[in-house]
Amino acid sequence: MEQIKTNDKIVLSTREREIFKTLRTNIELSGIDAKTIVVTSCRPNDGKSTITYFLANSFAELEKKTLFIDADLRKSVFYSEHGIEPLDKGLVHVLAGQIKPEEAIYSVQKRNLYIMPIGVFSRNPSELLSNKRMDDLLKYVKDNFDYIIIDTPPIGSVMDAAILANKVDATMLVAAQGVVSKHIAKQAIDTLKNANPNFLGVVLNKVDVRKAGYYGRRNSYYYSYNGYYGKY
């Protein structure tokens, strides 16, 4: 397994690391056997990809072998956010039948954390994510990792997240405070729950932590799902 170097532009503070530990703990105590988790957002720029990556990192810190899959085949920001040069092999190559899953998995300089990048952008992402090779990939990674955290495009824009939601154990939604309306958030939640009833909750992001307090308030402003706070 090839190792790649990352140059993360975001370094978490102690308080922010504790926030992700709280999120991780709540997932573990949710009562849902959530080994494969799709993370999506209501709209672009809600901070979804950053939340997804650092959640995966938090599981890895728990000595769990964790795989972060970049499944945003339309507009991935993974390479730029983590200072990685585009890689020759990734998820798209696996789904196109060009390589085996293990050839698209890379280790990083963080213990127990592995990544599967997109490889290249796809002209037909929905078709790729719907095919049997995606089912085979999920079976492979579930057999070889403790947790698989999957970053997907915003569900308010395309249906890629709903397609994958139907294939995984559970889903989560990221929403930016003061940007996403209750109506839009409810639509996104309903779409996810229609695809998979195991909805873990909403991560309310871009909150002014000086006003929200150390952990932020429990219960976000839509529904009674727990919200967790960061500033990404």
Side-chain angles (χ1 to χ4, degrees):
M1 186 178 297
E2 183 181 346
Q3 184 178 70
I4 58 175
K5 293 182 179 181
T6 59
N7 183 22
D8 294 337
K9 296 180 180 179
I10 299 173
V11 178
L12 299 184
S13 67
T14 300
R15 179 175 63 182
E16 290 160 349
R17 290 169 67 91
E18 288 299 318
I19 289 170
F20 279 101
K21 288 180 182 178
T22 302
L23 173 56
R24 179 191 72 199
T25 299
N26 278 272
I27 292 172
E28 292 179 303
L29 299 178
S30 67
I32 298 172
D33 185 14
K35 188 170 184 177
T36 51
I37 303 172
V38 154
V39 183
T40 186
S41 60
C42 294
R43 59 185 297 282
N45 303 315
D46 280 350
K48 163 189 58 67
S49 295
T50 303
I51 295 288
T52 308
Y53 177 77
F54 282 111
L55 175 61
N57 186 64
S58 184
F59 277 111
E61 290 176 345
L62 197 62
E63 297 298 316
K64 300 293 184 180
K65 190 177 180 183
T66 304
L67 176 65
F68 168 88
I69 297 180
D70 182 3
D72 191 343
L73 307 187
R74 300 171 188 268
K75 196 177 179 181
S76 171
V77 297
F78 180 78
Y79 292 124
S80 60
E81 282 195 350
H82 301 284
I84 300 173
E85 293 294 324
L87 301 167
D88 294 333
K89 300 175 182 179
L91 175 61
V92 170
H93 300 92
V94 175
L95 299 183
Q98 297 177 1
I99 60 174
K100 297 178 180 179
E102 55 268 33
E103 296 180 75
I105 297 174
Y106 301 82
S107 63
V108 295
Q109 311 98 303
K110 297 178 181 180
R111 181 179 172 86
N112 297 311
L113 182 62
Y114 301 81
I115 64 169
M116 178 180 285
I118 61 168
V120 294
F121 288 106
S122 170
R123 294 181 179 180
N124 56 343
S126 296
E127 290 81 358
L128 283 178
L129 296 173
S130 300
N131 72 29
K132 185 179 181 299
R133 292 193 186 100
M134 188 70 218
D135 298 323
D136 295 339
L137 170 61
L138 289 172
K139 182 180 185 303
Y140 172 82
V141 295
K142 287 185 76 170
D143 288 342
N144 288 275
F145 293 88
D146 296 310
Y147 285 97
I148 302 95
I149 314 297
I150 306 173
D151 182 26
T152 64
I155 199 165
S157 305
V158 293
M159 292 306 294
D160 297 8
I163 291 170
L164 285 178
N166 189 248
K167 299 175 180 289
V168 299
D169 298 329
T171 65
M172 286 173 45
L173 181 71
V174 175
Q177 186 189 42
V179 177
V180 177
S181 69
K182 293 181 181 181
H183 175 69
I184 295 299
K186 183 180 184 301
Q187 282 186 326
I189 292 169
D190 288 345
T191 301
L192 287 174
K193 293 182 73 175
N194 286 334
N196 186 331
N198 292 334
F199 178 66
L200 291 168
V202 175
V203 178
L204 187 58
N205 196 29
K206 297 188 178 180
V207 172
D208 187 341
V209 293
R210 294 168 298 180
K211 296 179 180 178
Y214 188 81
Y215 289 104
R217 58 187 184 276
R218 296 294 293 271
N219 297 328
S220 64
Y221 57 87
Y222 30 79
Y223 286 122
S224 58
Y225 303 114
N226 291 334
Y228 306 93
Y229 295 81
K231 62 178 182 181
Y232 312 109

